[in-house]
């Protein structure tokens, strides 16, 4: 029954089609039609609880929230999903479908009565732990909620996260809040140290590229170098090599390292901290394509003509020896400012790479790929790990070059898998939801951007809008608004293509050190394409399991993104907390009925609550603008504000208009 009730909530509907009607045992709030559909009765509601201290609200998106008094809300917790019935106009909680509180992160302090558990946000109930033997005063712990009854929450210890005085304890708490898999890294490092691959033996079965001019281009602080590139121009065609670390050789199925990698499915990058998918022995040493060392790789070797079309390709097991470890900054210095490398051959290859990158980019633009302008915050820390400054990272020529090469390699491998009918995992991106897109376009129309609403779902029409905003003050607002309207890209065994890239074939092949889908794809290539284990049993395994692998890895990717965003908010708040009362120039990025979101020149986001701070104000829904004291405030406007509050618990930053 819980699954059926949750279906109503997740699909945000009052009517669902349920094939197995025999599973329905409680018809209190349900009615069943002859066509097999199940409907919520008019006086019944399913929704999420917003719990205050002595009362709560059932949140409803389509109409007014339902108020629950202290008695009605007594056994409820924040974010519970419940079934509620209105009996003679009064709310009656019929069922708690799903508890919102599954885990508790608490700081432990000792008093005269024993250990007491303090949460960042009050739960208004006593926390009881079944076994406290591993807990000491000052511990920060993760507790699994077993039951909630009246004024008590019954739990057991899931994890000791650390100590209240540990550096980065706030980041570790965020990771724990999101229930990221706990890993014994010491044990995994021991397992990785046992791995022994005979590289000389491997040479017998690989294409030897150790004498080829191959190198890596990455960020200066990158340690897991999983891709290298090479390029030759022969008869006016570009012979591009994309060489990817052969992680699948080291990480075998059903090993402890593989199981833990699948659990996480991705590395998580947070300010100055990384939770790697693989043990560092693999990620930074054995598999990392460090220079001047023979490394085992899987290469996609492409011949690309002057129009950017792949006219021939091979996918091979290879061995390489990287001739240089280049950084984006240094390559940008050469390509943009002509600060040359001492090696003239390197200068020539990089110029040819830039030419090919432009050709590939133009081809993607021609077919309708969407180029969103995004900003990434880079936090600068002092020796005490305190944020002292923030810089905006922007994609430049070198970054675009590597991105173009990885994209074409991913497309080529996806083409090979799909055309040859191999089971495979793909990176897919479906068309945007028309309702969300309409709403986004309503916002952008206030910037005066021309567009044809009838053809707006066409990627080329969206591309025009993005191009029109290039180098304008509101360029990032346009990208951000359209990105919110897009579907989320995900992993699937069903190759439906990639809308944002306007790519018929697309997968993730190029980052097996930090993404599990890439690792799985490498396994499939080696087993089925190269024929190393091409039997019916393995073929059926992938046919039967890739759908579930796609769902799991997509879910873990979304969770990792949530963690990364929350850490960005945490570090932004830490940077701003001692600047209350200071003045900032900000840009309005998104209006709401109560105020508007703004962004500083360093990319820090905050909110201006107009309703609370300015009585003489009005909101015009047509223009999505506020009128305050005769002045108009709309999307894209630059205004001066004063920082009024930094909430370190909810990670929110508030401003008021100067």
């Amino acid at each position: 029954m819980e699954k059926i009730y949750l279906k109503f909530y997740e699909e945000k509907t009052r009517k669902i089609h349920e094939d197995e009607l025999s599973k329905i045992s409680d018809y209190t709030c349900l009615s069943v039609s002859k066509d097999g559909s199940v409907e919520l009765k008019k006086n019944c509601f399913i929704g999420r609880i917003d719990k205050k201290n002595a009362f709560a609200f059932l949140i409803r998106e389509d109409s007014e929230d339902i108020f629950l008094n202290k008695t009605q809300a007594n056994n409820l917790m924040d974010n519970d999903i419940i079934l509620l019935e209105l009996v003679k106009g009064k709310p009656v909680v019929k069922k708690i479908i799903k508890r919102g509180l599954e885990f508790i992160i608490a700081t432990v302090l000792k008093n005269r009565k024993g250990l007491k558990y303090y949460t960042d946000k009050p739960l208004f109930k006593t926390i009881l732990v079944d076994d406290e033997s591993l807990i000491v005063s000052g511990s920060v712990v993760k507790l699994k909620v077993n039951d909630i009854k009246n004024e008590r929450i019954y739990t057991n210890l899931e994890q000791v996260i650390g100590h209240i005085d540990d550096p980065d304890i706030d980041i570790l708490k965020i990771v724990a809040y999101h229930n990221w898999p706990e890993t014994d890294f010491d044990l995994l490092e021991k397992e990785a140290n046992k791995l022994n691959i005979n590289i000389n033996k491997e040479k017998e079965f690989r294409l030897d590229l150790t004498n080829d001019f191959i190198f890596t281009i990455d960020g200066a602080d990158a340690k897991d170098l999983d891709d290298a590139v090479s390029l030759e121009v022969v008869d006016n065609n570009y012979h591009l090599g994309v060489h990817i670390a052969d992680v699948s050789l080291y990480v075998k199925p059903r090993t402890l390292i593989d199981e833990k990698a699948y659990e996480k499915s991705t590395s998580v990058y947070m300010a100055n901290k990384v939770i790697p998918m693989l043990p560092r022995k693999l990620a930074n040493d054995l598999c990392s394509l460090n220079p001047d060392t023979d490394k085992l790789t899987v290469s996609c070797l492409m011949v690309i003509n002057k129009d950017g079309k792949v006219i021939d390709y091979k996918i091979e097991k290879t061995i390489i020896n990287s001739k240089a470890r280049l950084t984006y900054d240094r390559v940008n210095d050469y390509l943009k400012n002509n600060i040359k490398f001492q090696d003239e051959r390197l200068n020539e290859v990089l110029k040819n790479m830039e030419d090919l990158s432009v050709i590939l980019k133009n081809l993607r633009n021609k077919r309708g790929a969407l180029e969103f302008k995004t900003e990434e915050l880079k936090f600068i820390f002092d020796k005490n790990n305190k944020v002292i400054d923030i810089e905006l990272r922007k994609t430049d020529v070198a970054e675009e070059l590597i991105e173009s090469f990885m994209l074409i390699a991913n497309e080529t491998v996806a083409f090979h898998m799909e055309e040859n009918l191999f089971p495979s995992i793909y990176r897919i991106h479906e068309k945007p939801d028309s309702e969300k897109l309409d709403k986004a376009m309503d916002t952008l129309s206030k910037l005066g951007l021309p567009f044809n609403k009838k053809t707006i779902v066409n990627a080329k029409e969206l591309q025009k809008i993005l191009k029109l905003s290039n180098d304008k003050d509101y360029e990032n607002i346009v990208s951000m608004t359209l990105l919110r309207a897009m579907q989320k890209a995900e992993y699937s065994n069903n190759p439906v293509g990639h809308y944002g890239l306007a790519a018929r074939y697309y997968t993730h092949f190029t980052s097996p050190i930090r993404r599990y889908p890439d690792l799985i794809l490498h396994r499939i290539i080696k087993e089925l394409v190269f024929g190393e284990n091409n039997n019916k049993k393995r073929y059926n395994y992938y046919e039967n399991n890739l759908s579930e692998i796609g769902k799991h890895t997509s879910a873990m990717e979304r969770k990792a993104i949530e963690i990364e965003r929350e850490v960005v908010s945490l570090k932004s708040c830490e940077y701003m907390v001692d600047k209350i009362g200071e003045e900032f120039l900000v840009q309005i990025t998104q209006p709401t009925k109560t105020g508007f979101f703004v962004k500083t020149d360093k990319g820090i986001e905050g909110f201006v609550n107009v309703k609370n701070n300015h009585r003489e104000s009005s909101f015009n829904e047509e223009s999505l603008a506020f009128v305050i004291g005769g002045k108009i405030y709309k999307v894209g406007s630059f205004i001066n504000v004063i920082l009024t509050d930094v909430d370190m618990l909810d990670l929110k930053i508030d401003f008021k208009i100067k």
Side-chain angles (χ1 to χ4, degrees), residues 142-207:
K142 179 181 179 184
L143 307 172
K144 187 177 187 304
V145 176
N146 295 323
D147 198 8
I148 301 171
K149 284 184 179 176
N150 299 321
E151 302 307 314
R152 294 183 172 184
I153 303 174
Y154 297 89
T155 70
N156 61 269
L157 178 66
E158 180 87 3
Q159 176 191 356
V160 176
I161 298 166
H163 190 274
I164 192 171
D165 296 326
D166 287 347
D168 293 330
I169 190 64
D170 286 339
I171 289 181
L172 297 175
K173 283 164 71 174
I174 288 172
V175 172
Y177 268 122
H178 287 276
N179 202 24
W180 192 254
E182 186 187 0
T183 304
D184 185 341
F185 284 106
D186 289 339
L187 179 59
L188 289 183
E189 292 297 345
K190 286 177 184 175
E191 290 293 309
N193 279 311
K194 294 177 188 175
L195 295 170
N196 186 21
I197 303 296
N198 188 330
I199 289 187
N200 288 326
K201 182 78 173 171
E202 278 291 324
K203 280 185 179 180
E204 298 174 20
F205 309 102
R206 291 176 180 264
L207 179 64

Side-chain angles (χ1 to χ4, degrees), residues 83-240:
L83 172 66
L84 180 143
E85 183 179 15
L86 289 179
V87 181
K88 295 181 180 179
K90 291 185 178 181
V92 177
V93 177
K94 304 298 290 184
K95 191 175 189 64
I96 298 171
I97 299 165
K98 185 182 179 184
R99 282 290 188 187
L101 191 68
E102 296 179 40
F103 295 93
I104 295 171
I105 310 299
T107 300
V108 187
L109 296 175
K110 193 170 186 178
N111 61 20
R112 284 176 297 173
K113 295 180 180 179
L115 297 176
K116 191 170 172 75
Y117 298 84
Y118 295 90
T119 55
D120 288 346
K121 295 178 185 178
L123 298 175
F124 307 110
K125 293 184 187 294
T126 302
I127 298 169
L128 300 175
V129 183
D130 65 348
D131 181 0
E132 299 181 319
S133 58
L134 298 176
I135 303 172
V136 297
S137 184
S139 292
V140 178
V141 296
K142 179 181 179 184
L143 307 172
K144 187 177 187 304
V145 176
N146 295 323
D147 198 8
I148 301 171
K149 284 184 179 176
N150 299 321
E151 302 307 314
R152 294 183 172 184
I153 303 174
Y154 297 89
T155 70
N156 61 269
L157 178 66
E158 180 87 3
Q159 176 191 356
V160 176
I161 298 166
H163 190 274
I164 192 171
D165 296 326
D166 287 347
D168 293 330
I169 190 64
D170 286 339
I171 289 181
L172 297 175
K173 283 164 71 174
I174 288 172
V175 172
Y177 268 122
H178 287 276
N179 202 24
W180 192 254
E182 186 187 0
T183 304
D184 185 341
F185 284 106
D186 289 339
L187 179 59
L188 289 183
E189 292 297 345
K190 286 177 184 175
E191 290 293 309
N193 279 311
K194 294 177 188 175
L195 295 170
N196 186 21
I197 303 296
N198 188 330
I199 289 187
N200 288 326
K201 182 78 173 171
E202 278 291 324
K203 280 185 179 180
E204 298 174 20
F205 309 102
R206 291 176 180 264
L207 179 64
D208 190 343
L209 303 177
T210 51
N211 292 323
D212 286 21
F213 193 57
I214 296 171
F215 50 85
T216 61
I217 308 176
D218 288 275
D221 53 354
K223 294 183 178 66
D224 50 349
L225 314 180
D226 50 12
D227 58 85
V229 290
S230 58
L231 185 71
E232 289 184 61
V233 181
V234 182
D235 298 330
N236 286 324
N237 290 322
Y238 295 94
H239 290 244
L240 173 67

